[in-house]
Amino acid sequence: MSHGPATDLRFGYGTNGLADLRLDDALGLLADLGYDGVGLTLDHMHLDPLAPDLAARTRRVAHRLDTLGLGVTVETGARYVLDPRRKHGPSFLDADPEDRARRVDLLLRAVRVAADLGAHAVHCFSGITPPGTDRDTAWKRFAESLVPVLEAAGASGVPLAVEPEPGHLLATVADFHHLRRTLGDPDNLGLTLDIGHCQCLEPLPPAECVRAAAPWLRHVQIEDMRRGVHEHLPFGDGDIDFPPVLAALAATGYQGLTVVELPRHSHAGPHYAELSLPYLRRAATAAARTGECPAPEHQVTPEGSTR
């Protein structure tokens, strides 16, 4: 099978970077800007996974996505959707089985939502190892917790895409492979590759990370970043050379969305959404032509806002 050029990649923007907008408004904005899809983080302001009538609300969102021509992936990284006092809590790694079960339940809901929306993947991450917990125990809890989620994902036909997250138990692509082997390499277990995280801490350059991850790639997040600093940055503010990354991604034959991930810039989400797509398109065009990086445009922070 021949793979298309980088200009054929499908770009999306994450709703965790548009947290001050109603979901209908966020989807309309992204469609108007020309995005191909959306990374939908299930959260209290955007298709709350815990509120009543989830199935009916999901059907309305599915209709809205279809009307706007937007693809979707479902993300589960909301900071306080389960616990209003503990960021990303409870996690798959908590000592209390009931706490772990709450996280599993969120993922099972996400799988049902993803199936109803026609999403190409459900994203998740491991969480941070709790104090006093040894790594073997943490890995055991994580793997066991994912079993029912993977069963549901397999039944629904929507792959689970686990993201290596700096500071988490599963922090690197190598850690993903450890999990994959532990679980017996299930077909419905895939990888969410965050390009910024590759720049931050992976031993390979981002383009090489993409090539190495190709067989397991199910979801891609993208933003700029600097080596050794886990800070999601607007394009042009970090160190990543994007045309080789996009060329590598296109060469894998990846068919899903490549979603801009700027949650800490949500205060100016429409501004950064407007700037990000032209940057990515210029980088994709450069990749298709020469592989040279276009000169980054300075992304001005809107007057009166703070980062």
Side-chain angles (χ1 to χ4, degrees):
M1 180 175 119
S2 62
H3 301 139
T7 49
D8 291 340
L9 293 172
R10 300 167 62 230
F11 296 116
Y13 200 92
T15 59
N16 60 0
L18 297 167
D20 294 315
L21 275 66
R22 297 177 183 88
L23 181 56
D24 274 359
D25 292 338
L27 297 179
L29 170 74
L30 297 181
D32 288 346
L33 291 174
Y35 281 92
D36 300 295
V38 59
L40 174 58
T41 296
L42 303 181
D43 208 345
H44 63 90
M45 81 296 281
H46 292 154
L47 194 54
D48 187 341
L50 304 182
D53 301 319
L54 178 59
R57 289 183 290 113
T58 300
R59 285 193 294 272
R60 288 195 290 272
V61 173
H63 178 72
R64 177 75 166 147
L65 290 167
D66 185 62
T67 299
L68 295 171
L70 293 173
V72 62
T73 187
V74 172
E75 304 196 6
T76 60
R79 292 184 178 95
Y80 297 101
V81 70
L82 292 178
D83 188 333
R85 294 174 176 83
R86 184 161 62 114
K87 181 182 176 183
H88 295 148
S91 84
F92 292 115
L93 311 182
D94 285 358
D96 188 337
E98 292 186 3
D99 283 345
R100 298 199 299 274
R102 290 175 62 203
R103 177 60 58 174
V104 170
D105 178 68
L106 175 67
L107 265 293
L108 294 175
R109 289 169 182 258
V111 169
R112 290 195 294 270
V113 167
D116 290 345
L117 293 180
H120 71 79
V122 173
H123 147 279
C124 73
F125 45 54
S126 68
I128 297 169
T129 304
T133 302
D134 65 85
R135 285 180 62 82
D136 287 345
T137 298
W139 278 112
K140 184 172 183 290
R141 290 173 184 168
F142 187 34
E144 289 178 351
S145 295
L146 285 186
V147 169
V149 181
L150 287 166
E151 290 175 353
S156 71
V158 180
L160 184 69
V162 179
E163 178 190 6
E165 183 77 23
H168 284 209
L169 173 70
L170 197 157
T172 65
V173 174
D175 292 333
F176 165 77
H177 288 303
H178 174 74
L179 173 69
R180 181 177 59 81
R181 290 189 296 268
T182 298
L183 289 167
D185 197 16
D187 290 339
N188 45 338
L189 176 65
L191 174 69
T192 292
L193 190 68
D194 186 300
I195 301 303
H197 295 172
C198 295
Q199 177 70 17
C200 178
L201 53 68
E202 292 288 347
L204 295 175
E208 292 296 325
C209 282
V210 169
R211 281 187 277 270
W216 302 276
L217 205 56
R218 300 295 179 269
H219 181 41
V220 176
Q221 298 172 345
I222 193 165
E223 70 285 316
D224 219 337
M225 203 169 286
R226 301 187 183 100
R227 184 70 180 169
V229 182
H230 184 206
E231 181 183 3
H232 291 232
L233 298 172
F235 299 111
D237 286 3
D239 300 331
I240 299 176
D241 183 16
F242 284 98
V245 174
L246 299 182
L249 186 59
T252 71
Y254 173 68
Q255 298 293 306
L257 292 170
T258 299
V259 173
V260 178
E261 186 82 355
L262 291 174
R264 295 191 179 182
H265 293 75
S266 192
H267 63 276
H271 171 80
Y272 288 106
E274 184 176 3
L275 292 181
S276 294
L277 185 58
Y279 184 93
L280 288 170
R281 284 178 170 167
R282 290 195 306 274
T285 299
R289 289 178 180 169
T290 65
E292 295 177 1
C293 187
E297 293 183 357
H298 179 58
Q299 299 208 17
V300 179
T301 302
E303 184 178 355
S305 69
T306 57
R307 293 194 178 181

